[in-house]
Amino acid sequence: MLSIRCPVCGPRDEDEFVFGGDASAVRPADPMSCDDQAWTGFLYRRDNPAGPHDELWFHRFGCRRWLRLRRDTRSHAIVAPPLLAEDAGTP
């Protein structure tokens, strides 16, 4: 099990968090005007990197804030301190 250090609540078990996906995915600026192919690309097409990867996690049973962290997908080790998503420039 991962131990995630929340900048607000301190170290917590992974069970308190919900995985929010790839932090580098860019939502279409105007989803109502994009075509089906662009929307499908945003929703379903993701890279599956082996190595460090930026991810979003929601602290469901704690401060209820989004975190952005860098995790190595091969070892599951968190390789950079988690930041609050708004402090990391993530909408």
Side-chain angles (χ1 to χ4, degrees):
M1 176 177 301
L2 286 175
S3 177
I4 299 174
R5 184 172 184 1
C6 175
V8 176
C9 304
R12 297 289 191 264
D13 286 339
E14 173 186 1
D15 291 348
E16 289 192 18
F17 296 84
V18 175
F19 179 69
D22 182 358
S24 64
V26 179
R27 184 180 181 89
D30 185 7
M32 299 304 285
S33 67
C34 73
D35 62 7
D36 288 343
Q37 186 175 8
W39 191 242
T40 300
F42 169 71
L43 291 175
Y44 301 110
R45 292 195 169 84
R46 299 278 191 258
D47 291 335
N48 189 14
H53 180 64
D54 288 335
E55 300 173 338
L56 294 172
W57 289 77
F58 180 67
H59 198 176
R60 174 178 47 182
F61 296 128
C63 61
R64 302 193 55 80
R65 297 178 80 181
W66 283 96
L67 306 180
R68 181 181 180 131
L69 62 88
R70 179 170 281 266
R71 181 178 65 88
D72 190 317
T73 59
R74 294 171 294 202
S75 65
H76 298 291
I78 297 173
V79 295
L83 299 171
L84 294 174
E86 60 265 21
D87 295 340
T90 303

